[in-house]
Amino acid sequence: MLAYIRAGVPVKLYRKREFWLILLLGVLFVVTIYADFVRGGAALSVDEFQLTLFALQQVLYLSAIAIATWRFGFSLGLFFWGIMGAITIPYSVVYLSANWHPNLFLEMIIIGLVGLAEVFLINAYDVGKKRLLEYQHTLEDRVQARTIDLTKSNLALEKDIVERRRVEGELREALAQVKTLTGLLPICANCKNIRDDNGYWSSVEKYISTHSEAEFTHGICPECLEKLYPSYYGPGKKRSSGQ
């Protein structure tokens, strides 16, 4: 509060309507405090008028401090609390000296503490509200950043899925073009025909052509030439031809 007094009241406060409302409430508070002196009452007795003024004092005192703290922050609220408390002290000394009662003195102290507590509570509420808003903004920024990251991850994942599907399609096409023979082939020991999965027998050429990409071109081996054409490719003819 002392630092606030040394710094002086900021000029921008004079442009605020709330500031003038607080000043008006403060003036009314001072008037109600010293109303007995204004009306010329020498004996400061506790009458009905004085009780009404005392209740009005409390309302004006707490209202001015509440508005100052809520609208302008902790420093100005504490400043008004100190100023209004200092204004009350001279009258309290005079009044209690003429009408001393412990309960009345205790009530004055309680009102002062209530005003101080009001300053701290309103300030704590404002600080908590600001922190909550900051946390919400920070949380929104985090959620937005996380959403962007997840969107990028999803796009990358979708691209990866598309690429995988493309590769799988190419592999399927490649596998569809490749035919291989695996396992045991039932072949006739005499004619060398092969039995297929349906139980039909077919020649070796037909079976291999059906189940692979191989194609046959026919020729005759030397042994078969001797057997089929002995007159031309027999053992003797072969030797003579070799000579």
Side-chain angles (χ1 to χ4, degrees):
M1 186 176 66
L2 295 177
Y4 190 85
I5 295 174
R6 288 196 296 268
V9 179
V11 179
K12 63 181 181 180
L13 291 178
Y14 298 120
R15 302 175 184 175
K16 302 291 185 179
R17 296 181 180 178
E18 295 87 347
F19 182 76
W20 295 106
L21 175 61
I22 296 168
L23 287 179
L24 177 61
L25 293 176
V27 172
L28 293 176
F29 173 74
V30 174
V31 172
T32 56
I33 286 292
Y34 293 96
D36 285 333
F37 294 134
V38 174
R39 67 175 180 168
L44 302 178
S45 59
V46 182
D47 55 6
E48 184 177 354
F49 179 76
Q50 183 61 39
L51 293 176
T52 303
L53 287 179
F54 190 69
L56 185 60
Q57 291 168 15
Q58 298 178 23
V59 173
L60 295 173
Y61 172 74
L62 296 177
S63 299
I65 293 175
I67 296 175
T69 307
W70 172 74
R71 187 63 183 84
F72 300 104
F74 177 77
S75 299
L76 192 62
L78 191 62
F79 174 77
F80 270 93
W81 174 83
I83 293 298
M84 296 174 74
I87 293 174
T88 309
I89 290 176
Y91 177 79
S92 300
V93 173
V94 175
Y95 187 84
L96 290 175
S97 62
N99 302 276
W100 170 254
H101 195 282
N103 294 336
L104 185 60
F105 177 70
L106 182 61
E107 185 175 358
M108 291 181 177
I109 294 178
I110 291 175
I111 292 300
L113 294 176
V114 168
L116 183 62
E118 188 177 39
V119 173
F120 281 95
L121 288 176
I122 295 176
N123 179 70
Y125 172 79
D126 290 337
V127 172
K129 185 178 180 180
K130 291 179 181 178
R131 290 181 179 177
L132 180 60
L133 292 176
E134 292 176 357
Y135 178 77
Q136 288 178 349
H137 291 314
T138 304
L139 184 61
E140 290 177 357
D141 294 338
R142 290 181 180 177
V143 171
Q144 186 176 3
R146 183 59 177 167
T147 302
I148 294 174
D149 293 339
L150 290 176
T151 302
K152 293 180 179 179
S153 300
N154 289 334
L155 291 176
L157 184 59
E158 289 178 359
K159 291 180 179 180
D160 185 66
I161 291 173
V162 172
E163 182 65 19
R164 287 175 180 271
R165 289 178 178 175
R166 184 185 66 80
V167 174
E168 289 177 358
E170 293 178 355
L171 289 175
R172 289 193 187 96
E173 292 179 0
L175 290 175
Q177 296 176 0
V178 176
K179 294 182 179 180
T180 58
L181 295 175
T182 59
L184 298 175
L185 298 179
I187 187 169
C188 177
N190 182 40
C191 66
K192 308 303 180 182
N193 287 342
I194 298 176
R195 187 182 65 197
D196 58 17
D197 296 335
N198 296 322
Y200 295 102
W201 293 86
S202 60
S203 64
V204 174
E205 295 92 337
K206 182 179 180 181
Y207 187 88
I208 294 177
S209 298
T210 304
H211 293 82
S212 70
E213 297 296 327
E215 295 182 358
F216 288 89
T217 178
H218 293 83
I220 300 176
C221 67
E223 294 180 358
C224 291
L225 282 175
E226 293 180 2
K227 292 179 181 180
L228 295 174
Y229 306 101
S231 59
Y232 293 99
Y233 296 99
K237 299 294 182 180
K238 186 176 182 181
R239 285 195 297 273
S240 61
S241 62
Q243 292 175 355

